[in-house]
Amino acid sequence: MGRKDVSTSRTPVDQYRKQIGKQDYKKTRPMLRATRLKAEAKKTALGVKEVALVLAAILVFLLAFYAFFYLNISNEVDLDLDPDEN
């Protein structure tokens, strides 16, 4: 009789969780392990946005590096020319 009282006082959410737990228990261990590993891999995997941001940062750095040396070399070449030599 005590068991009936316990089961009637359960909320629908608890009953649903128990049902899901039973279904999950029916799965085999390798299947559960594969699901867990897949979820962990999805969490730790690099997304397209992160890769694009890193590539964009590298490109900006290289362009700034190139522009710095291009401007320095072009200024030095102009200073080395003497207008009186011609």
Side-chain angles (χ1 to χ4, degrees):
M1 197 130 209
R3 291 183 69 118
K4 283 186 178 180
D5 294 338
V6 172
S7 66
T8 57
S9 66
R10 272 194 205 146
T11 62
V13 174
D14 290 336
Q15 290 174 353
Y16 177 74
R17 287 180 182 161
K18 185 175 180 181
Q19 181 184 6
I20 294 296
K22 285 181 182 177
Q23 290 174 358
D24 217 22
Y25 185 72
K26 291 177 184 176
K27 293 179 183 176
T28 62
R29 286 184 189 260
M31 191 179 204
L32 291 172
R33 184 179 299 133
T35 305
R36 188 181 73 239
L37 289 174
K38 186 177 178 182
E40 287 177 5
K42 195 173 188 180
K43 274 189 210 174
T44 60
L46 288 178
V48 175
K49 288 182 183 179
E50 288 86 6
V51 172
L53 285 174
V54 169
L55 290 176
I58 291 171
L59 181 65
V60 167
F61 175 74
L62 289 175
L63 287 174
F65 188 74
Y66 175 77
F68 174 75
F69 281 108
Y70 176 77
L71 292 174
N72 272 348
I73 291 173
S74 65
N75 288 341
E76 287 177 10
V77 169
D78 290 341
L79 294 176
D80 289 341
L81 293 177
D82 287 333
D84 296 334
E85 287 182 4
N86 290 335

